[in-house]
């Protein structure tokens, strides 16, 4: 089903594909109130893809009013759970029918390799929507143990209007992680995709409407963080913001909430994720393969990217050699060719940021174990930098590019200290043949996801989010994500004998 097509087939789709350019509000596409647009480009070629509506605070007011009206009259959340499940399953089917077009649109807009777009981004997006749809008629509320004199119901109700502000690194998948549980819970949503990658969110909203999600329930506003993200954060009729992006922008949403209506805020932010390899790791080839995937998948433009290899000094050289061998399979080039696993970085500005860390390698006189080259001002070769210390920017800062730093340790305690020595706490991987050590490290590393003898983010059934400055207020994915999009209500009913007698009299 999600097997990639050939390069020729993808290129043919790219030639004929129709790109959405207007915001999607209240069931139809509309230009920005101001009539303004911004240019969106293909980062791999520099080619202009489209002029997209540049919305502002007046469009936010309009979309939030439509989302609120849809919520207040209950056109979505008051449908039966079975009906809503049916609509979301149809939505997932329409995404599946359009999977090749969505993969190409995602690749053109972001520079991501089309193979990954097809087999990961689009495939997981469909799975996410289906998973949350299936949950709708399987969630039960609670009663509380208050004795025979009262009946208490502890019920979940949809929180209302949700603003979702998204990053550019997984445009479709981050959208799905938000809208899956938000729509399943019965909320209305106003989505702001990142300006670099707006196209697939618009097409997804159109398909959701076609599937039967009522007008006003799922809206997408295109435009900048300042013009659209900030007014969403400050809006008095937005009940919650769910945000994925960098930690500095995430902080702003806490301020927006404090300065407006104390809306709920859930933040999924940056990471600086370690892979800790102990000297008793059982299979160094497996470790090398997993570390390479963790570090270079999606060009390292991944919040959960393995960006720090923390390895026992006795096995470092051998592991780096094997890492080099696995890196040979990671071809860099045209994102529309499914042979390539490394595509373009998302923009020239981001390319400049990532390559500034390559300049640090020279300045700090660090040694390049592998890679270090760039091509055409858009591609950065997978790079491994040896001898990085905790004082270095390479150790502390989220690079969000294909650069892996290497640091050694000599004791388990030192490994834990190094792993925890950044402001982030999103994910970590641990490689060891000892179950006891694996459990000890899993407990002592402060991160929202710890994988043992593998790299990954879990699947739709497991929560995802970070400790420390990697997150705030909740988790994406899994049944736990639903809690965020709901309020908890207590309903207390007096059923004491006195009240029965009074009723009878
Ligand atoms: P970003 O610069 O923080 O932007 C994220 C979103 O916030 C964009 O839609 C952006 O709009 C908007 N924004 C920017 N300034 C704003 C402001 N002043 N007020 C309101 N909204 C504003 O992040 P990014 O560079 O797109 O994405 C990369 C980051 O996302 C990395 O740090 C990565 O770790 C993180 N991430 C985290 C997770 C996770 O689950 N923890 C998953 C994926 C990515 P414009 O850019 O369109 O102006
Ligand atoms: Mg783009």
């Amino acid at each position: 089903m999600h097997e990639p097509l050939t390069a020729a087939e993808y290129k043919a789709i790219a030639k004929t594909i129709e790109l959405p350019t207007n915001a999607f509000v209240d069931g139809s596409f509309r230009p920005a109130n101001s009539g303004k647009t911004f240019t969106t480009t293909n980062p791999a070629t520099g080619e202009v893809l489209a002029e997209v509506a540049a919305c502002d605070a007046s469009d936010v007011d309009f979309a939030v009013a439509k989302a609120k009206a849809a919520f207040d009259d209950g056109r979505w959340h008051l449908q039966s759970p079975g009906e809503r499940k049916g609509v979301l399953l149809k939505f997932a089917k329409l995404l599946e029918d359009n999977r090749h077009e969505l993969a190409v649109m995602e690749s053109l807009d972001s520079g991501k390799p089309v193979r990954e777009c097809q087999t990961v981004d689009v495939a997981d997006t469909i799975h996410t929507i289906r998973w949350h749809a299936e949950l709708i008629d399987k969630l039960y509320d609670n009663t509380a143990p208050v004795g025979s004199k009262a009946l208490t119901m502890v019920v979940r109700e949809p929180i209302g209007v949700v603003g979702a502000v998204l990053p550019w690194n997984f445009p479709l998948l981050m959208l799905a992680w938000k809208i899956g549980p938000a729509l399943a819970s019965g909320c209305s949503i106003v989505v702001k995709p990142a300006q670099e990658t707006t196209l697939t969110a618009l097409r997804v909203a159109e398909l959701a409407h076609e599937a039967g999600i009522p007008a006003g329930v799922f809206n997408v506003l295109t435009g900048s963080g300042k013009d659209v993200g900030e007014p969403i954060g400050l809006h008095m009729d937005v009940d919650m913001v769910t945000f994925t992006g960098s930690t500095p922008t995430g902080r702003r949403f806490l301020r927006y909430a404090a300065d407006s209506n104390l809306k709920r805020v859930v933040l999924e932010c940056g990471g600086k994720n370690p892979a800790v390899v102990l000297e008793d790791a059982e299979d160094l080839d497996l470790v090398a393969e997993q570390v390479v995937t963790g570090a270079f998948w999606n060009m390292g433009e991944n919040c959960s990217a393995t960006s720090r290899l923390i390895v026992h000094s006795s096995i470092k050289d051998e592991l780096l050699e094997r890492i080099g061998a696995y890196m040979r399979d990671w071809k860099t080039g045209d994102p529309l060719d499914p042979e390539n696993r490394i595509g373009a970085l998302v923009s020239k500005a981001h390319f400049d940021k990532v390559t500034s860390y390559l300049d640090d390698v020279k300045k700090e006189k660090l040694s390049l174990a592998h890679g270090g080259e760039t091509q055409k001002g858009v591609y950065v070769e997978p790079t491994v930098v040896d001898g990085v210390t905790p004082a270095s920017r390479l150790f502390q800062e989220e690079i969000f590019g294909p650069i892996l730093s290497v640091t050694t340790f000599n004791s388990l305690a030192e490994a834990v200290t190094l792993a925890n020595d950044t402001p982030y706490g999103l994910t970590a991987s641990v490689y060891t043949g000892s179950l006891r050590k694996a459990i000890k490290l899993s407990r002592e590393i402060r991160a929202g996801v710890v994988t043992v003898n593998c790299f990954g983010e879990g699947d739709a059934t497991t929560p995802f989010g970070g400790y420390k400055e990697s997150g705030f207020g909740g988790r994406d994915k899994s049944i736990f994500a639903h809690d965020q999009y709901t309020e908890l209500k207590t309903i207390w009913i007096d059923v004491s004998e006195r009240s029965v007698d009074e009723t009878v009299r």
Side-chain angles (χ1 to χ4, degrees):
M1 164 69 68
H2 295 293
E3 283 304 299
L5 303 177
T6 63
E9 287 168 319
Y10 281 126
K11 282 174 202 236
I13 295 174
K15 269 200 191 121
T16 54
I17 200 166
E18 220 176 286
L19 302 175
T21 56
N22 282 323
F24 193 85
V25 182
D26 203 26
S28 59
F29 284 113
R30 47 180 280 133
N33 275 335
S34 66
K36 287 188 184 156
T37 60
F38 65 91
T39 303
T40 197
T41 55
N42 175 347
T45 59
E47 216 180 306
V48 172
L49 289 171
E51 295 295 328
V52 176
C55 298
D56 62 22
S58 69
D59 300 284
V60 173
D61 285 341
F62 182 73
V64 171
K66 294 295 179 187
K68 184 171 177 343
F71 188 76
D72 288 349
D73 71 18
R75 69 187 80 162
W76 176 237
H77 70 91
L78 292 182
Q79 288 186 25
S80 74
E83 281 171 325
R84 284 192 291 117
K85 180 175 87 171
V87 171
L88 286 189
L89 289 176
K90 187 168 173 206
F91 173 33
K93 175 72 175 61
L94 287 178
L95 293 170
E96 202 167 86
D97 294 346
N98 290 276
R99 62 190 180 281
H100 301 308
E101 172 210 343
L102 285 168
V104 169
M105 210 184 271
E106 192 84 320
S107 178
L108 289 174
D109 206 4
S110 67
K112 288 156 70 93
V114 73
R115 164 185 288 274
E116 309 284 335
C117 294
Q118 189 80 76
T119 60
V120 180
D121 302 60
V122 173
D124 283 2
T125 293
I126 295 164
H127 180 64
T128 300
I129 300 297
R130 207 165 261 151
W131 195 89
H132 290 285
E134 288 290 357
L135 199 62
I136 296 178
D137 60 358
K138 295 168 192 70
L139 286 173
Y140 291 75
D141 285 323
N142 296 98
T143 56
V146 296
S148 61
K149 293 184 178 161
L151 174 65
T152 60
M153 295 183 275
V154 182
V155 298
R156 292 245 168 223
E157 294 183 342
I159 193 165
V161 176
V162 174
V165 180
L166 303 177
W168 46 255
N169 65 332
F170 287 91
L172 270 172
L173 192 55
M174 294 305 100
L175 174 72
W177 283 10
K178 308 298 189 191
I179 64 173
L183 291 172
S185 303
C187 296
S188 293
I189 46 183
V190 177
V191 174
K192 190 207 99 59
Q195 258 189 300
E196 278 95 346
T197 54
T198 55
L199 301 178
T200 46
L202 293 168
R203 179 70 177 129
V204 167
E206 188 183 24
L207 292 171
H209 187 65
E210 194 181 324
I213 290 174
V217 171
F218 181 177
N219 310 281
V220 177
L221 292 179
T222 46
S224 72
K226 183 80 192 125
D227 292 342
V228 181
E230 180 171 330
I232 288 176
L234 288 169
H235 207 289
M236 296 301 284
D237 287 332
V238 172
D239 300 290
M240 168 185 175
V241 164
T242 175
F243 167 82
T244 295
S246 63
T247 298
T249 310
R251 275 180 214 288
R252 289 176 182 267
F253 280 94
L254 293 173
R255 292 195 195 105
Y256 298 151
D259 290 344
S260 56
N261 59 348
L262 297 185
K263 59 179 61 62
R264 184 177 296 168
V265 175
V266 175
L267 307 175
E268 298 294 351
C269 299
K272 189 68 191 170
N273 315 293
V276 180
V277 186
L278 305 193
E279 70 275 34
D280 65 357
E282 279 179 343
D283 179 350
L284 281 192
D285 278 319
L286 177 136
V287 177
E289 186 193 12
Q290 295 291 299
V291 168
V292 168
T293 303
F296 305 130
W297 180 58
N298 207 49
M299 292 75 72
E301 293 174 339
N302 184 3
C303 57
S304 61
T306 301
S307 56
R308 294 180 297 144
L309 173 61
I310 296 174
V311 55
H312 194 274
S313 57
S314 65
I315 55 169
K316 183 199 74 176
D317 291 341
E318 191 180 346
L319 182 59
L320 288 190
E321 204 179 303
R322 295 190 198 199
I323 283 176
Y326 278 98
M327 284 171 64
R328 280 180 217 122
D329 297 339
W330 286 67
K331 290 199 188 120
T332 302
D334 182 3
L336 278 186
D337 183 342
E339 289 293 307
N340 290 327
R341 301 191 70 184
I342 300 276
L345 293 190
V346 74
S347 64
K348 179 69 173 74
H350 189 57
F351 175 88
D352 291 343
K353 181 192 154 200
V354 171
T355 50
S356 77
Y357 291 92
L358 293 179
D359 298 339
D360 283 18
V361 174
K362 288 180 207 132
K363 270 189 247 152
E364 294 184 28
K365 299 195 172 55
L366 298 168
S367 86
L368 268 180
H370 304 290
E373 297 297 318
T374 63
Q375 294 174 26
K376 297 183 182 167
V378 290
Y379 300 108
V380 175
E381 247 184 35
T383 299
V384 179
V385 185
D386 196 4
V388 178
T389 65
S392 171
R393 218 161 67 97
L394 280 145
F395 189 97
Q396 292 294 338
E397 295 179 9
E398 186 180 45
I399 299 173
F400 229 56
I403 301 177
L404 174 69
S405 70
V406 182
T407 308
T408 55
F409 67 87
N410 290 305
S411 72
L412 210 53
E414 198 190 345
V416 172
T417 303
L418 286 169
N420 286 333
D421 190 13
T422 79
Y424 296 108
L426 191 54
T427 68
S429 314
V430 170
Y431 297 88
T432 170
S434 154
L435 183 61
R436 279 177 199 283
K437 287 181 186 167
I439 300 281
K440 181 178 165 61
L441 285 173
S442 305
R443 288 183 175 151
E444 292 183 5
I445 293 176
R446 292 180 53 76
V449 177
V450 180
T451 54
V452 176
N453 293 331
C454 61
F455 162 79
E457 292 168 356
D459 62 17
T461 67
T462 56
F464 185 82
Y467 282 34
K468 295 159 57 182
E469 293 180 29
S470 287
F472 179 88
R475 293 289 185 262
D476 281 331
K477 299 203 298 164
S478 84
I479 203 163
F480 298 99
H482 285 247
D483 290 350
Q484 305 168 38
Y485 297 99
T486 56
E487 286 282 15
L488 208 52
K489 179 178 276 179
T490 298
I491 301 175
W492 183 291
I493 305 167
D494 181 0
V495 292
S496 62
E497 286 302 320
R498 181 184 56 79
S499 59
V500 173
D501 291 348
E502 277 166 10
T503 317
V504 172
R505 265 204 313 271

